[in-house]
Amino acid sequence: MNLLITLIWFVVFVLLLWKLPFFSKFNLRRRTLVLLFLLHVAAGVVLSLIYTFYYPQRNLADTFKYYDDAKVLYNTMFTHPVDFIRIMIGYKCDNIMYKPIYADMNHWFISINKYLYNDNRTLIRLNAFIMIFSFGHYYVHVFFFAMLSLLGKLFFYKAFESLFSDRKSLLFIAIFLIPSVVFWSSGVMKEGPLFFILGLLCFSVDQLAQNIRSVKYYLLSFLCFGALFFVKFYVAVTILPGLITWFWLKRKEYRKPFVKAAIVHLTFAAAALVFHFITPFHSFVHGFKWQKSNFYGLAQTMNSGSVIKTIPLENDLWSFITNIPEGLFNALFRPFLWDSLKPVMLASALENVLLILIFILCFIWFKKPNNTKLSFVLFCFSFTLMLFTLAGVVTPIIGTLVRYKIPAMSFLMMGCFLLWDEKKIREIKILNNLDALI
């Protein structure tokens, strides 16, 4: 029965991609959509197998722990249906009467950063909801999460397609074919819903900039941004300045991009400083310090072999500033090839070598982009630098660092590609072949 239900859902998703008119709006061939879905499913399956055989502590494996807690919640639907509904919608869900249910979960509560939203619960609820259709079969969840991730990337592709009209293959590579992004966004983890929300948010903002009177896209943009806070709070914070800059420039016909970018980012920096000095024990620096301490504790618990020595982070602004260069460097270039011989880590190191090559080509093939493309490049680099800095400062575990930076990897690649000379790009035969295929 398990295999039958899994096969049925697999066929359903493939048929949706092949037949549903909705997917024709993304300007990709149907076979390409199906192949992308298969790629994401394969990555999700491989991820589950790695966590099964190489990291067997199931209660600590992200791809299983939210799913396992969701099973506890899902089972209450049959024994206490009213309680199930209340917990799912968050109605008085911290009531002591639900304590027996939470006692069987490992990750409903967290011990740190209690002043921030506990985004574990979002994933537990989402998995519990999917179980209504999957009947608890794990690989059906892989299909759902793979589809969410793919949908988000399709919305990215649709939103940014006009910027790459002369070379869509580069956009395709940046969004769909970065190995670490495919791998970590395809499992039963937060990254799948995160990419769906991010893609839909960028698409909505792009459409809103073109039609400022659209109530639909106003509503969709605010809903997506709100959802982003519930899934990955730090991604919402780091993408906002660049997103506002891009929207402002699109509305003002891309005039004075550097001036507008400076105004937006200095405003956000000033607001962060004011918040830090008014509420020092609830500021971003205090939160980063707690999170970094938690990562060190997690590394000791799991006997992690990928911990790197970093500058200590204290609860003051200067300490955070002095951590920025090291944090950004680690996020951009770690792991090195010699950091670890484990397959996943080695693959990330090889990807970093490719990233360095792309940086070098940005200097060799540089051509100043027009203001339309430059505005998007500023958005891409704003999001990348802020997210990479945050991830590098807070995360001393290389494996976790690789995951934390993937939401911005596609943006980094797109920003770099838009700095390349189109004449040089046309000389790359493999890109010509890829253009013909997609």
Side-chain angles (χ1 to χ4, degrees):
M1 183 60 72
N2 189 344
L3 180 60
L4 179 61
I5 292 174
T6 302
L7 286 174
I8 288 172
W9 273 109
F10 178 76
V11 171
V12 167
F13 280 118
V14 170
L15 287 176
L16 286 173
L17 289 167
W18 195 265
K19 296 291 185 181
L20 202 65
F22 167 79
F23 289 101
S24 63
K25 70 188 291 182
F26 297 108
N27 300 326
L28 290 170
R29 296 183 180 184
R30 296 286 180 158
R31 68 181 182 187
T32 303
L33 294 175
V34 172
L35 287 173
L36 287 173
F37 177 67
L38 293 177
L39 176 64
H40 283 72
V41 168
V45 171
V46 170
L47 183 64
S48 71
L49 294 176
I50 288 174
Y51 273 107
T52 298
F53 296 106
Y54 290 95
Y55 305 100
Q57 290 180 280
R58 188 178 174 101
N59 66 314
L60 296 177
D62 281 4
T63 194
F64 293 124
K65 66 185 186 183
Y66 305 120
Y67 167 82
D68 289 342
D69 278 3
K71 269 192 170 181
V72 176
L73 179 56
Y74 171 70
N75 289 333
T76 64
M77 184 175 69
F78 304 101
T79 56
H80 302 87
V82 176
D83 293 346
F84 172 79
I85 294 171
R86 285 177 175 172
I87 295 173
M88 286 292 288
I89 64 175
Y91 178 72
K92 296 183 179 180
C93 60
D94 288 328
N95 194 307
I96 194 170
M97 66 182 291
Y98 301 133
K99 194 173 181 179
I101 299 173
Y102 301 147
D104 292 328
M105 298 183 187
N106 294 312
H107 302 282
W108 185 262
F109 296 105
I110 56 175
S111 58
I112 62 163
N113 289 350
K114 292 181 180 179
Y115 53 90
L116 295 179
Y117 178 75
N118 178 2
D119 55 13
N120 289 357
R121 299 181 182 184
T122 305
L123 263 290
I124 294 170
R125 288 183 175 115
L126 178 59
N127 273 291
F129 177 74
I130 294 173
M131 282 179 186
I132 297 172
F133 309 98
S134 71
F135 304 105
H137 300 302
Y138 176 80
Y139 285 105
V140 178
H141 288 245
V142 172
F143 300 157
F144 273 93
F145 277 74
M147 180 59 84
L148 282 174
S149 178
L150 178 58
L151 272 171
K153 292 166 188 174
L154 288 172
F155 279 116
F156 279 143
Y157 188 86
K158 184 66 177 176
F160 309 142
E161 185 181 15
S162 62
L163 295 163
F164 290 83
S165 56
D166 51 343
R167 188 57 70 196
K168 292 184 180 180
S169 54
L170 287 176
L171 177 64
F172 188 85
I173 291 169
I175 292 175
F176 298 111
L177 298 184
I178 299 175
S180 62
V181 175
V182 174
F183 183 72
W184 291 110
S185 67
S186 300
V188 184
M189 300 190 295
K190 296 175 184 177
E191 282 75 10
L194 170 64
F195 271 85
F196 173 73
I197 296 166
L198 267 179
L200 191 55
L201 174 63
C202 290
F203 173 76
S204 303
V205 170
D206 176 65
Q207 294 297 308
L208 185 60
Q210 297 176 42
N211 182 11
I212 197 67
R213 297 178 184 273
S214 174
V215 176
K216 176 176 69 174
Y217 289 116
Y218 265 117
L219 182 60
L220 194 55
S221 298
F222 283 113
L223 285 175
C224 287
F225 192 74
L228 199 55
F229 269 92
F230 286 101
V231 176
K232 287 283 189 181
F233 174 83
Y234 66 91
V235 176
V237 172
T238 52
I239 199 173
L240 187 57
L243 192 62
I244 290 175
T245 302
W246 184 51
F247 175 79
W248 188 12
L249 287 166
K250 284 175 73 71
R251 290 297 304 160
K252 297 298 180 181
E253 299 178 354
Y254 305 102
R255 292 191 295 269
K256 299 181 179 179
F258 287 107
V259 173
K260 289 182 173 65
I263 291 172
V264 172
H265 287 78
L266 288 173
T267 301
F268 272 87
L273 287 173
V274 169
F275 186 73
H276 171 75
F277 288 114
I278 291 176
T279 58
F281 290 101
H282 289 82
S283 70
F284 65 94
V285 176
H286 185 70
F288 295 162
K289 178 191 173 184
W290 270 98
Q291 189 66 49
K292 190 168 188 174
S293 299
N294 180 62
F295 275 126
Y296 274 120
L298 179 65
Q300 291 178 353
T301 302
M302 299 184 66
N303 194 25
S304 174
S306 63
V307 179
I308 52 178
K309 278 190 174 182
T310 59
I311 301 170
L313 181 61
E314 304 299 334
N315 190 29
D316 65 82
L317 190 61
W318 181 246
S319 177
F320 174 74
I321 293 172
T322 56
N323 269 265
I324 289 176
E326 181 187 55
L328 184 57
F329 178 85
N330 287 337
L332 280 169
F333 302 116
R334 302 295 291 267
F336 300 135
L337 286 170
W338 53 86
D339 276 332
S340 176
L341 294 179
K342 291 182 178 180
V344 175
M345 200 72 70
L346 188 59
S348 296
L350 290 171
E351 186 176 284
N352 284 342
V353 172
L354 181 61
L355 185 62
I356 292 171
L357 176 61
I358 290 172
F359 289 157
I360 293 172
L361 289 175
C362 284
F363 290 97
I364 298 174
W365 291 354
F366 176 78
K367 182 181 178 181
K368 184 180 178 180
N370 59 37
N371 278 5
T372 302
K373 293 182 178 180
L374 178 60
S375 300
F376 183 68
V377 170
L378 291 174
F379 168 32
C380 290
F381 288 169
S382 165
F383 180 34
T384 301
L385 289 173
M386 291 185 69
L387 182 63
F388 277 32
T389 298
L390 174 59
V393 168
V394 170
T395 313
I397 306 172
I398 296 179
T400 306
L401 179 59
V402 171
R403 273 187 64 190
Y404 266 51
K405 69 182 187 179
I406 68 157
M409 281 296 293
S410 292
F411 288 85
L412 176 59
M413 292 289 191
M414 288 187 287
C416 289
F417 289 156
L418 286 175
L419 297 178
W420 287 5
D421 188 341
E422 293 90 343
K423 293 180 181 178
K424 299 293 184 181
I425 296 170
R426 293 191 188 99
E427 296 173 3
I428 306 175
K429 292 183 178 179
I430 192 170
L431 294 179
N432 296 327
N433 295 332
L434 184 57
D435 274 327
L437 289 173
I438 61 177

